[in-house]
Amino acid sequence: MKCVSRYVFFLLRWKNYWIRGVLSLAMISGFFLIIYMGPVALILIVMTVQIKCFHEIITIGYRVYRSYELPWFRTLSWYFLICVNYFFYGETVADYFGALVQREEPLQFLARYHRFISFALYLAGFCMFVLSLVKKHYRLQFYMFAWTHVTLLIVVTQSHLVIQNLFEGMIWFIVPISIVICNDIMAYLFGFFFGRTPLIKLSPKKTWEGFIGGFFSTVVFGFILAYLLAQFQYFVCPVGFNSETNGFTVECEPSDIFVMQEYTLPAAVQNSLNWKNVNLYPFQIHSIFLSSFASLIGPFGGFFASGFKRAFKIKDFASTIPGHGGIMDRFDCQYLMATFVHVYIASFIRGPNPSKVLQQLLMLQPEQQLSIFHTLHSHLRELGVRGQKNIYI
């Protein structure tokens, strides 16, 4: 009987691995297809994932606190989701679609009063919540109010950062997501074949061998992927909006971090490899920091999710993907990674953006634009800036 039980357990285990492997390949193939379809498809998939993750977390709250009997609350949760998305996507439209906003009068009104409208929408939901309070359910209703807002913070805010990263260039979207996937796969494989030492109690199956093996594999993978993608304008150029074609464009003169440069190796490396110089894209160096974060800190997003599930005695957030659980089970590390990439770009990469400054100028009154023109004209003359024919401006 023991031999039969072990045999059955072995078959079930490998069946689960087979299902996970096939679906993983299917999801990776789908990811490449969406990249091929361009920025619009990527934005739509981010929105879809965001809505599904929100649904999974909110549903857990409904089940755990038996809040399905509370008046208005399911409606209010989705209402707050719509309000927050209206605020974030409105900010994105104002930042990146200035030409379109200037051309359409209704959009000018919405852009000018966007934050006031967003706040008014939120206040309406807040007042509806207060009016829905029932004496015997006060504590439960405030639990769920807090639950909804924390879910919005975790899911919607970080989804917005994913889209902000995408507009900086698709490489800032593809590389972070790919290295998190790589780390997840390689940590699993190293842990499966070599794992002996438990890493953390929250996730008993995680091992130090998997953690370390995943780190080195991810750094190498990220370095190679950065080299491959940095060669193509389609991936490195910021995503812009062309008012003439009413579509997205990814054409530009690549910035310095996507231009091949020569670096002198340290003396110790020169002696051991007999190389003095090496040609790299600066983005490859940045990829090492991104991969290190994805491997060393990113897994803590997964540990956080594991602790959350243990707290509420559930195995997965949902059963959307056979063998994988819910969408949130696959994106717990991705959201933390997206936040880091956004902070990294703002701190070490992004400089002044002339296109955004121009968009802001175009929204001013003609008198204000003329005043700025004269001020800038005087400033450039003081600096001795010459025009194309060596004539002072």
Side-chain angles (χ1 to χ4, degrees):
M1 286 295 292
K2 287 184 178 179
C3 292
V4 173
S5 299
R6 287 178 181 175
Y7 180 71
V8 172
F9 174 77
F10 178 81
L11 287 178
L12 290 174
R13 186 181 182 187
W14 277 100
K15 181 182 178 182
N16 183 52
Y17 292 152
W18 173 253
I19 292 172
R20 285 175 65 97
V22 170
L23 286 173
S24 295
L25 289 174
M27 287 189 288
I28 292 170
S29 302
F31 179 59
F32 284 121
L33 176 62
I34 293 166
I35 292 171
Y36 174 77
M37 293 170 67
V40 175
L42 290 172
I43 292 171
L44 291 175
I45 199 67
V46 170
M47 290 179 64
T48 304
V49 167
Q50 174 216 109
I51 292 169
K52 183 56 182 171
C53 289
F54 180 83
H55 173 257
E56 290 177 358
I57 298 176
I58 289 296
T59 300
I60 292 171
Y62 289 141
R63 284 204 212 106
V64 171
Y65 291 112
R66 302 180 186 278
S67 54
Y68 42 77
E69 297 177 355
L70 296 179
W72 297 7
F73 215 89
R74 188 179 291 271
T75 302
L76 281 174
S77 295
W78 289 100
Y79 176 81
F80 282 125
L81 175 67
I82 293 170
C83 289
V84 175
N85 271 306
Y86 175 80
F87 170 74
F88 281 130
Y89 283 100
E91 294 283 305
T92 300
V93 169
D95 281 346
Y96 294 98
F97 300 89
L100 178 64
V101 171
Q102 284 299 309
R103 201 173 59 197
E104 303 292 337
E105 192 170 335
L107 289 180
Q108 291 180 30
F109 174 83
L110 291 174
R112 183 173 183 180
Y113 299 105
H114 171 67
R115 295 194 177 186
F116 180 80
I117 294 170
S118 301
F119 183 61
L121 289 171
Y122 178 82
L123 278 182
F126 178 79
C127 292
M128 284 190 286
F129 166 73
V130 173
L131 293 173
S132 72
L133 290 173
V134 179
K135 187 175 182 180
K136 59 181 179 180
H137 291 309
Y138 285 159
R139 180 177 295 182
L140 180 57
Q141 287 179 286
F142 278 103
Y143 277 157
M144 290 309 301
F145 184 78
W147 185 287
T148 299
H149 281 69
V150 171
T151 305
L152 291 172
L153 177 65
I154 292 173
V155 176
V156 183
T157 304
Q158 296 187 95
S159 296
H160 174 67
L161 299 183
V162 173
I163 292 175
Q164 292 283 305
N165 297 342
L166 171 62
F167 276 106
E168 294 294 330
M170 284 201 286
I171 197 167
W172 294 105
F173 176 89
I174 297 169
V175 169
I177 287 180
S178 299
I179 58 181
V180 169
I181 294 172
C182 173
N183 181 253
D184 192 36
I185 293 172
M186 298 309 297
Y188 177 80
L189 291 176
F190 273 92
F192 180 79
F193 289 106
F194 308 108
R196 296 290 183 274
T197 313
L199 176 63
I200 187 170
K201 290 182 180 179
L202 281 173
S203 295
K205 294 181 181 179
K206 304 290 185 183
T207 63
W208 275 104
E209 290 80 3
F211 186 73
I212 295 170
F215 167 71
F216 286 107
S217 302
T218 303
V219 170
V220 173
F221 171 80
F223 193 80
I224 296 171
L225 182 64
Y227 172 78
L228 295 174
L229 297 186
Q231 302 176 52
F232 301 97
Q233 279 193 10
Y234 182 74
F235 297 117
V236 304
C237 289
V239 177
F241 180 78
N242 189 324
S243 58
E244 295 179 0
T245 61
N246 285 332
F248 289 102
T249 60
V250 282
E251 296 177 356
C252 68
E253 185 68 29
S255 65
D256 290 342
I257 65 169
F258 301 115
V259 176
M260 186 74 75
Q261 297 184 21
E262 187 176 76
Y263 294 91
T264 302
L265 294 172
V269 178
Q270 290 182 26
N271 295 332
S272 58
L273 298 178
N274 291 325
W275 286 352
K276 286 187 177 182
N277 302 310
V278 62
N279 292 322
L280 295 173
Y281 291 102
F283 182 73
Q284 289 180 267
I285 300 172
H286 291 293
S287 75
I288 296 173
F289 295 101
L290 297 179
S291 298
S292 298
F293 182 90
S295 305
L296 302 178
I297 307 298
F300 282 84
F303 301 152
F304 177 87
S306 296
F308 179 89
K309 289 182 283 188
R310 285 178 175 274
F312 295 100
K313 297 180 173 59
I314 55 174
K315 184 176 183 294
D316 297 309
F317 282 97
S319 55
T320 309
I321 312 171
H324 288 270
I327 299 294
M328 191 65 199
D329 290 288
R330 294 297 91 208
F331 281 84
D332 45 14
C333 300
Q334 294 287 4
Y335 282 132
L336 184 61
M337 186 69 196
T339 304
F340 171 73
V341 172
H342 184 78
V343 173
Y344 189 89
I345 292 172
S347 301
F348 305 110
I349 304 298
R350 184 190 297 137
N353 190 329
S355 63
K356 284 191 178 182
V357 174
L358 182 60
Q359 288 175 14
Q360 292 291 325
L361 288 174
L362 293 175
M363 296 179 71
L364 299 176
Q365 296 297 321
E367 298 79 11
Q368 295 172 310
Q369 294 176 358
L370 192 59
S371 175
I372 292 174
F373 169 76
H374 288 308
T375 303
L376 185 60
H377 179 264
S378 300
H379 176 68
L380 292 175
R381 291 192 64 178
E382 289 175 6
L383 294 176
V385 177
R386 295 175 182 271
Q388 291 183 355
K389 296 182 178 180
N390 266 350
I391 300 173
Y392 283 98
I393 296 173

